[in-house]
Amino acid sequence: MLPLRLVLDTNIVVSAALKPDGLQRTVLLLAITKPARFYVSTPILSEYRTVLARPELGIRKGLRLQLLQLIKNRAQVVSPSQPLQITPDPADNIFLECADAARADYLVTGNQRHFPKFWKKTKIISSRELVAIVAPHLVP
């Protein structure tokens, strides 16, 4: 099986931290497990760190640090070659930039309306769609 090349929006990582039994936790586990390949960029790692630390989310420091370490250990860091101005929310462009540099198959997000349906060869999909593709037996 060819490895799936994945980029995860911050909302997927935050939901994985907040909901241990949620679909986003499954997506994160699928992303860090072979044969999948999980891609991030330095700006994405920075956003993960910043958002996970928001006090209003109430994510324990230990869990936050474990999650970030797991991502650093398992994800491949890419360096996008050029900034993009594609999404209505300028902060979301870092995910398309990463997907472009990684030649990702999928960008997984909880906010599909913020992105085009495709960006070059990357399809923008929800957590449920990814699980249905990779592990259909896990979709309720």
Side-chain angles (χ1 to χ4, degrees):
M1 178 175 172
L2 288 175
L4 285 180
R5 302 166 77 87
L6 304 171
V7 174
L8 304 183
D9 193 349
T10 306
N11 55 56
I12 301 297
V13 175
V14 169
S15 292
L18 292 172
K19 301 176 197 161
D21 298 330
L23 211 49
Q24 291 77 13
R25 177 78 56 102
T26 303
V27 167
L28 180 60
L29 292 172
L30 288 169
I32 63 171
T33 306
K34 290 184 180 183
R37 290 195 183 144
F38 179 20
Y39 292 89
V40 295
S41 62
T42 301
I44 288 175
L45 285 172
S46 177
E47 180 166 304
Y48 287 173
R49 190 176 313 105
T50 301
V51 175
L52 287 167
R54 288 182 182 162
E56 66 270 21
L57 293 175
I59 300 170
R60 289 182 305 103
K61 184 178 181 182
L63 174 60
R64 198 169 64 234
L65 294 176
Q66 275 185 318
L67 196 53
L68 290 168
Q69 193 59 52
L70 181 67
I71 291 168
K72 285 180 190 172
N73 290 345
R74 298 288 179 94
Q76 295 181 291
V77 179
V78 294
S79 298
S81 57
Q82 62 183 18
L84 298 173
Q85 299 298 319
I86 306 298
T87 63
D89 179 354
D92 286 333
N93 285 306
I94 61 173
F95 299 99
L96 292 177
E97 292 164 4
C98 181
D100 198 15
R103 296 184 327 276
D105 298 303
Y106 299 106
L107 165 56
V108 186
T109 181
N111 294 320
Q112 287 178 283
R113 69 185 184 285
H114 291 187
F115 295 94
K117 289 192 183 307
F118 281 91
W119 175 248
K120 298 188 178 178
K121 75 174 224 102
T122 304
K123 185 174 183 182
I124 289 67
I125 62 173
S126 69
S127 296
R128 182 171 297 283
E129 288 173 300
L130 180 70
V131 174
I133 292 165
V134 178
H137 59 286
L138 298 177
V139 178

